[in-house]
Amino acid sequence: MNSAERGTLYIISAPSGTGKSTIVSELLRSDPNIYFSISATTRQPREGETDGVDYYFIKREEFLKLVDSGGMLEHAEFCGNLYGTPRKAVYDKLDEGHDVILEIETVGAMSVKAVCPEAVSIFILPPSLSELRNRLTARATDSDETISRRIAEARPEIEKSRGYDFIIVNDSLEAAVEQAKTVMKAAKRMTKLNYDTIEGVLRKC
Ligand code: ADP
Ligand code: 5GP
């Protein structure tokens, strides 16, 4: 299968509370060809989250068994909980020609880049750290202690944004969604995703 038929793998990262889930929901709504990779996690479900839709909520032992059996494309610990990307669904969907979004933190993102260099990485920045705190507080899904842990993680996560292919600031939600769509379209023309096209032309007389 050449790169034109295979789907594109997108990695989307952002500090917790930036709005990445909100942006990803909009992207999924606007393009039925995109498959959202449902991660496994040991964290407790938040109100309104559904098992098998938002995450596979599993126990730590089950998670570690999946890792040991090679079932995870990547995994990482974040704020005391384990998160991981089930491998098979990602590769199946890409092979079927679907684009796939991984909504994952920076350690996992780097692991995916190491095994899938063709993955396109997008980092979403909050307008400021104080606005990040406002959003986490307004979302009202986490305790004060959890919010503080997530804010503390934000700065080192943002430092790692330098290694991403694209940066988007989520100030106006509408503008951020439009920029994400533009970047995802442009990414399809990145040289690293089009080596087959170059070879094809060189093969022609
Ligand atoms: P993340 O997935 O990055 O943790 P969420 O998508 O849950 O973040 O968004 C965190 C909160 O911020 C939610 O209450 C969401 O409605 C809100 N939000 C998202 N984008 C914006 C924005 N551009 N301006 C203001 N609030 C936003
Ligand atoms: P939350 O608890 O807010 O849903 O997620 C916390 C962090 O874990 C976010 O940065 C989110 O992107 C990340 N995350 C979610 N799923 C995965 C995953 O499968 N792997 C990794 N490495 N991080 C994930």
Side-chain angles (χ1 to χ4, degrees):
M1 177 172 286
N2 68 36
S3 54
E5 292 163 346
R6 204 164 188 257
T8 304
L9 181 60
Y10 299 100
I11 300 168
I12 299 189
S13 302
S16 180
T18 301
K20 61 188 171 308
S21 302
T22 311
I23 291 171
V24 167
S25 306
E26 288 299 316
L27 296 173
L28 296 175
R29 221 161 46 88
S30 68
D31 185 351
N33 187 49
I34 302 176
Y35 169 76
F36 173 70
S37 160
I38 304 168
S39 297
T41 183
T42 61
R43 128 162 122 58
Q44 289 300 308
R46 295 186 185 125
E47 207 177 309
E49 284 184 330
T50 308
D51 185 38
V53 176
D54 300 286
Y55 280 107
Y56 298 109
F57 294 100
I58 61 177
K59 296 262 175 284
R60 207 173 173 94
E61 299 118 61
E62 194 185 340
F63 190 104
L64 295 174
K65 258 191 212 159
L66 272 169
V67 172
D68 285 347
S69 64
M72 294 290 196
L73 175 59
E74 62 73 37
H75 69 283
E77 182 137 11
F78 181 85
C79 287
N81 295 302
L82 293 168
Y83 295 84
T85 302
R87 181 192 302 274
K88 188 174 182 305
V90 171
Y91 284 115
D92 286 352
K93 291 293 172 183
L94 289 172
D95 288 345
E96 286 165 18
H98 293 281
D99 293 338
V100 174
I101 292 182
L102 308 183
E103 195 190 307
I104 61 178
E105 52 67 69
T106 51
V107 174
M110 292 310 123
S111 307
V112 174
K113 281 265 185 181
V115 289
C116 308
E118 72 282 10
V120 174
S121 56
I122 304 169
F123 197 96
I124 304 172
L125 288 168
S128 65
L129 291 178
S130 58
E131 173 60 13
L132 188 64
R133 182 177 285 280
N134 292 342
R135 287 184 191 174
L136 279 170
T137 309
R139 190 171 70 183
T141 51
D142 299 299
S143 66
D144 289 351
E145 192 205 332
T146 302
I147 290 177
S148 295
R149 283 182 86 175
R150 284 169 182 255
I151 296 283
E153 282 297 326
R155 197 175 279 278
E157 288 251 297
I158 290 171
E159 287 292 345
K160 292 188 194 144
S161 67
R162 297 177 208 280
Y164 281 64
D165 296 320
F166 297 96
I167 296 287
I168 293 172
V169 179
N170 181 21
D171 193 350
S172 144
L173 177 61
E174 206 183 6
V177 170
E178 277 317 303
Q179 284 175 16
K181 287 182 189 168
T182 304
V183 154
M184 289 167 77
K185 197 169 169 196
K188 298 240 172 222
R189 306 305 333 139
M190 284 170 90
T191 308
K192 69 179 180 181
L193 297 186
N194 290 281
Y195 291 131
D196 291 1
T197 310
I198 300 169
E199 298 311 323
V201 170
L202 287 175
R203 272 198 302 273
K204 285 180 194 156
C205 312

